């Protein structure tokens, strides 16, 4: 063996080992994906979000995920499927999250809505209706949410939404009784999706009528008498 061949042999062996290591790395199992990993569509235009294949954990607003738009304690307890009926309801709920829930989150901090989308089956269970009944609630179209902020008077939250949201269809101060504490009742806020008719910007309250004792809708934002 010549001196040149003798010197080249160790170099060839080292190159073979390096190639073997590279092949080993390239064929190893991929790094595990975090269970918390989810696509971020918070800045994606609404008409570009792949609605038909959207992960429940996908971010659709800076601080809200898809699953928060269908969360329901009643549905969970009763085994009711509360998934979106179609892309139309999902699109409306994402629009609502971006233009109603997110501004309130930006102002007052973390919270989860009491209710956003409600399927027809959930609406029937909630309102004790027969299987043939169809709800006309904006919740069933993904256009409404019920919210409250811990420690903040429900009437005050409704007034803030009226004065600061860029647009809304209805704001309803529901069942707010100051005698029962600041968080009695809730605020219902609706917003129509792009392409729908104009928002009405209507403010109402759902309070007890002193004359009949029944809950009724009245114009304006007010508390129980």
């Amino acid at each position: 063996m010549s001196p040149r061949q003798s010197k080249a042999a160790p170099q060839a062996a080292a190159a073979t080992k390096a190639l073997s290591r590279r092949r080993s790395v390239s064929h190893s199992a991929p790094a595990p994906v975090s269970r918390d990993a989810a696509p971020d569509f918070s800045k994606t235009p609404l008409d570009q979000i792949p609605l038909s294949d959207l992960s429940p954990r996908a971010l659709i607003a800076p601080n809200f995920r898809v699953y928060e738009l269908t969360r329901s304690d009643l549905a969970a307890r009763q085994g009711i499927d509360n998934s979106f009926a179609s892309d139309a309801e999902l699109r409306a709920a994402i629009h609502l999250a971006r233009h109603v829930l997110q501004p309130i989150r930006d102002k007052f901090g973390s919270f989860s809505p009491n209710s956003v989308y409600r399927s027809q089956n959930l609406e029937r269970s909630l309102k004790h209706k027969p299987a043939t009944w169809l709800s006309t609630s904006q919740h069933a179209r993904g256009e409404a949410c019920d919210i409250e902020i811990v420690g903040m008077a429900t009437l005050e939250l409704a007034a803030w939404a009226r004065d600061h949201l860029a647009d809304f269809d209805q704001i309803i101060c529901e069942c707010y009784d100051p005698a029962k504490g600041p968080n009695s009742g809730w605020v219902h806020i609706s917003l129509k999706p792009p392409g729908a008719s104009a928002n009405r910007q209507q403010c109402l309250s759902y309070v007890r009528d002193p004359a009949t004792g029944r809950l009724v809708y009245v114009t304006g934002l007010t508390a129980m008498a």
Side-chain angles (χ1 to χ4, degrees):
M1 181 179 294
S2 69
R4 179 177 297 177
Q5 289 174 325
S6 177
K7 187 175 182 180
Q11 293 176 344
T16 301
K17 289 181 180 180
L19 179 60
S20 176
R21 284 198 300 270
R22 287 198 296 272
R23 286 176 175 171
S24 176
V25 169
S26 65
H27 287 85
S28 62
V33 177
S34 169
R35 293 180 62 185
D36 293 331
D40 183 351
F41 296 110
S42 60
K43 296 182 180 179
T44 304
L46 184 57
D47 60 1
Q48 295 179 23
I49 297 176
L51 300 177
S52 60
D53 191 30
L54 202 55
S55 164
R57 289 195 55 79
L59 272 171
I60 42 75
N63 296 106
F64 292 95
R65 300 181 186 273
V66 172
Y67 72 82
E68 293 180 271
L69 307 180
T70 57
R71 187 182 63 84
S72 165
D73 292 340
L74 178 62
R77 288 197 304 271
Q78 298 189 2
I80 297 171
D81 180 7
N82 196 43
S83 56
F84 289 102
S86 74
D87 287 354
E89 289 83 0
L90 174 54
R91 183 180 295 106
I94 293 174
H95 181 67
L96 178 85
R98 291 179 168 186
H99 298 283
V100 173
L101 297 178
Q102 189 62 48
I104 293 173
R105 167 66 169 75
D106 292 342
K107 175 63 178 179
F108 299 108
S110 181
F111 76 95
S112 288
N114 296 349
S115 176
V116 182
Y117 174 72
R118 296 200 295 251
S119 67
Q120 289 290 340
N121 284 337
L122 180 55
E123 278 281 283
R124 292 182 189 113
S125 179
L126 182 66
K127 298 173 182 177
H128 308 289
K129 297 293 185 179
T132 54
W133 179 80
L134 288 177
S135 173
T136 59
S137 168
Q138 287 183 282
H139 283 283
R141 301 198 297 270
E143 299 175 6
C145 59
D146 293 337
I147 60 176
E148 56 185 294
I149 302 296
V150 175
M152 183 177 189
T154 301
L155 182 60
E156 183 181 345
L157 175 59
W160 184 93
R162 176 198 61 200
D163 296 339
H164 293 88
L165 291 180
D167 200 7
F168 61 89
D169 187 49
Q170 284 186 320
I171 294 175
I172 309 175
C173 184
E174 302 206 39
C175 303
Y176 173 56
D177 185 350
K180 296 180 180 179
N183 284 126
S184 67
W186 59 92
V187 181
H188 168 102
I189 307 176
S190 63
L191 179 70
K192 294 182 180 180
S197 58
N199 288 297
R200 293 169 286 181
Q201 296 194 336
Q202 184 179 45
C203 292
L204 302 169
S205 295
Y206 191 50
V207 295
R208 198 169 302 283
D209 180 358
T212 65
R214 299 179 62 182
L215 288 169
V216 295
Y217 290 99
V218 298
T219 300
L221 301 178
T222 188
M224 295 278 194

